[in-house]
Structures are given as C-alpha cells and as structure tokens.
Amino acid sequence: MAMVCLTDFEEYAKEHLSKATWDYYAAGADECCTRDDNLLTRTDTRTTVQGTEISFPVGIAPTAFHCLAWHEGEMATARATEALNTCYITSTYSTCSVEEIVAAAPNGYRWFQLYVYRDRKLSEQIVHRVEALGYKALVLTVDVPYTGKRRNDIRNQFKLPPHLKVKNFDGTAGPEEYGIPANTLDPSISWKDVYWLQSITRLPIIIKGILTKEDAELAVEHGVQGIIVSNHGGRQLDGGPASIDALSEIVDTVQGRIEVYLDGGIRTGSDVLKALALGAKCVFIGRPAVWGLAYKNNYFLYASNSGCRNVAEINRNLIQFSKL
C-alpha cells in the first residue's frame, strides 16, 4: 500500500508494533479525553461576506465562457459553489443564462458581475433580471474601458465556437467581439454611474478593479458596499501592480468602513492566508475555477499550521513583507 499521509503510517505502526509498544506511544491519561480532544480540534474556516456566512473565504471570481471548459459550463460551477457554500460571482459573459444558473443551483449564494454599456437600458435590463432572480449583490467592473490587447487571442483569431453563445445577450443583433455585441462597453464610465446604479437597484454594489488608495477612498465616498482589489488577472493593462501588492494600502485607507476582497494570483492555501492576513475579507479565484481546482485548495492546512483556529485570528503578524 502506498504511504501517502500520516494516517497511513499510523495504521502501519499499529499493525507492526507490539501491543505494549503501540499502547505506550498512543496512550493518554485516564479516559484519554484530552488526547482525543486534541484530535477533534479543527480550524474554523467560516466567514461572512456582505452579512452572509460562507464556509470558507474563497469564492469564484467572474470568468467568461465556462462552457469552453465543460459542456455544462456555469451551471456546473454554480452547483459546485452551492455544495461548498461559498460565493459565486456570475460573469455577464457567461455561456449559460442567469436563469439557467439559478435553476441549476437554486440555493446558491450568488453575486452578478456587471459592465456599464453605452446603452444604459442594456445594463438596466440585466440588473433587474438578476435582482428578480435573487442575486445578492452587483459587482461593477471598472477597469475595462476597452478590452486589453491579448496577443494570443489575436494570433488565434479567437471567437466562440458556433454552438456556444453568450446567453445573456441572446437576441442582440450586430457584429460581435469575443462572442458579445461589439462596442457595447462605455469608455466614459465614471463615479456618476455608481449613483445611477444605486437609483435603479437595492442590491449592494461592489467595485471590482480598484488598485489605488485614491480610488478606494472615492469608492467609500460614493457609498459602495465593497471593493475587489483586482487587476483583471493581468488581462487588461500589462505592467500594473499585482493585486496583493495593492491590498495593504487599500485596506489601510478603507479602515473597515466597507469590506475589501481580492482576486488575482491566488493559487495555494498560503496565498489565501497571506491575503487574509493583509486584510482581505475573502479572496476570489478565476482561472483555477475554470481549471477545476477550487475543491483542492489547501488553505485549511496552512491556516492550521500557522496556529490560527479561525478566520478572525488571521492578521498581519503572519506576514514578512520581504518574502511576499
């Protein structure tokens, strides 16, 4: 039998040591209650985002076109996050409709990622759709006045295969880019659009794409409920700061007035721990979710080994900045 974890070695030792020797190593005092309590201790990974409890501080960032990776696409993602009891931010550019996603996981906790379009009616219609479907927040992406220059997409002449559509735009006519109506994004988006959104919905508004303390302060002043520190996975502007490098400054600026989250570059449990230690309330993973790796995240191991029994005990004392 392959020896792949501590339990394997424990079982092997019990089988091959004499009873007296095994009992000596394994023994506790009297009824062994304290010994057994040690084994029962678990890291509490629960946290809350926007007042809702989730099972651990890793959610799914908005990523487009899940059906390219698996035929059930965003419906499968929704079912997985429902089973794990965490937050799924549905992308505007999903290859399943918002209605299909809700039907696939009716009890899931979902936010909706939104762009502001030149035709405000287009944005308004989808806001009303997701609000009626029970989505719990709007995540307004603010770092895409124009789509970034992605060289490999240009070389590959990337487009969605004919059997896939961006379902939330079904019925929209005209030329397309990346499978969506071309030239729909409004490059003139400004902070006034936050007030406009607040006038058409009661949903909390979370701003995604903040990387400076100045914009963080403006977000607070404009009454949003959260910030996602994000550089769009490096897909928009090459040479910008890594999300983790911008996090501390933004947390210090916000001073707990609104919740701060982070996406970009989260690949291991220790990455999650670092982000939480620097003040993020929760992190969101994009590419790893598409790769199907979210369930294998080993944050629990790193949190336990750091001596933290729950999320509230994670703080900056865990971080040596020179080693980030």
Side-chain angles (χ1 to χ4, degrees):
M1 182 182 72
M3 310 293 279
V4 297
C5 66
L6 184 58
T7 302
D8 293 340
F9 288 97
E10 181 180 13
E11 291 176 355
Y12 182 91
K14 187 174 184 179
E15 291 175 6
H16 290 82
L17 295 173
S18 70
K19 182 178 184 303
T21 300
W22 169 259
D23 285 347
Y24 172 77
Y25 287 130
D30 295 324
E31 302 298 322
C32 296
C33 295
T34 300
R35 181 200 66 180
D36 293 345
D37 282 348
N38 284 341
L39 299 175
L40 292 172
T41 300
R42 294 289 183 269
T43 301
D44 183 0
T45 62
R46 293 173 298 172
T47 190
T48 60
V49 289
Q50 298 300 315
T52 295
E53 183 178 280
I54 57 177
S55 62
F56 65 123
V58 182
I60 305 301
T63 49
F65 311 153
H66 286 201
C67 282
L68 284 174
W70 177 246
H71 68 93
E72 291 188 313
E74 291 83 3
M75 293 187 293
T77 307
R79 284 194 291 267
T81 50
E82 180 185 64
L84 291 171
N85 186 30
T86 192
C87 180
Y88 170 33
I89 307 178
T90 301
S91 171
T92 292
Y93 300 149
S94 55
T95 39
C96 299
S97 70
V98 287
E99 289 81 7
E100 289 172 329
I101 291 166
V102 171
N107 298 314
Y109 180 59
R110 283 174 294 271
W111 299 348
F112 183 78
Q113 176 268 327
L114 178 75
Y115 293 108
V116 171
Y117 301 108
R118 296 173 191 267
D119 180 358
R120 292 297 190 273
K121 284 294 181 183
L122 196 60
S123 297
E124 186 172 351
Q125 287 168 2
I126 199 160
V127 167
H128 291 158
R129 279 171 69 187
V130 300
E131 188 166 16
L133 287 166
Y135 281 76
K136 299 303 182 184
L138 293 178
V139 177
L140 176 62
T141 297
V142 296
D143 59 0
V144 190
Y146 301 97
T147 303
K149 185 178 181 181
R150 301 164 194 168
R151 293 180 182 178
N152 283 340
D153 286 350
I154 296 169
R155 293 185 180 108
N156 296 332
Q157 297 182 322
F158 174 82
K159 59 182 179 180
L160 283 178
H163 69 283
L164 294 182
K165 295 181 179 180
V166 180
K167 290 287 192 72
N168 293 322
F169 289 95
D170 262 1
T172 304
E176 294 184 351
E177 178 183 23
Y178 286 104
I180 60 176
N183 300 316
T184 51
L185 296 176
D186 190 347
S188 70
I189 182 175
S190 72
W191 290 104
K192 292 185 294 184
D193 291 297
V194 172
Y195 291 141
W196 170 72
L197 276 177
Q198 290 167 338
S199 75
I200 66 169
T201 182
R202 295 182 179 180
L203 292 177
I205 296 171
I206 294 155
I207 301 293
K208 180 179 183 293
I210 298 297
L211 289 170
T212 68
K213 63 182 180 181
E214 291 82 6
D215 280 341
E217 183 60 42
L218 284 167
V220 173
E221 291 175 4
H222 284 79
V224 305
Q225 281 71 44
I227 287 171
I228 300 179
V229 180
S230 173
N231 59 21
H232 214 105
R235 294 168 64 80
Q236 280 305 108
L237 180 66
D238 203 14
S243 299
I244 193 73
D245 291 336
L247 178 60
S248 293
E249 177 180 274
I250 289 171
V251 168
D252 290 343
T253 298
V254 167
Q255 289 289 309
R257 289 174 289 173
I258 59 176
E259 293 183 348
V260 177
Y261 318 107
L262 176 137
D263 74 18
I266 300 295
R267 294 296 183 270
T268 67
S270 63
D271 291 338
V272 179
L273 188 65
K274 290 173 187 176
L276 267 59
L278 294 174
K281 182 73 169 174
C282 178
V283 302
F284 293 90
I285 55 175
R287 292 181 179 99
V290 177
W291 298 333
L293 300 178
Y295 188 71
K296 299 296 183 182
N297 192 289
N298 60 349
Y299 152 76
F300 314 100
L301 172 65
Y302 284 96
S304 299
N305 285 349
S306 72
C308 297
R309 295 168 295 178
N310 55 54
V311 171
E313 291 185 357
I314 299 172
N315 58 56
R316 290 191 188 183
N317 293 332
L318 298 177
I319 302 297
Q320 291 183 326
F321 285 88
S322 62
K323 294 184 178 182
L324 277 177

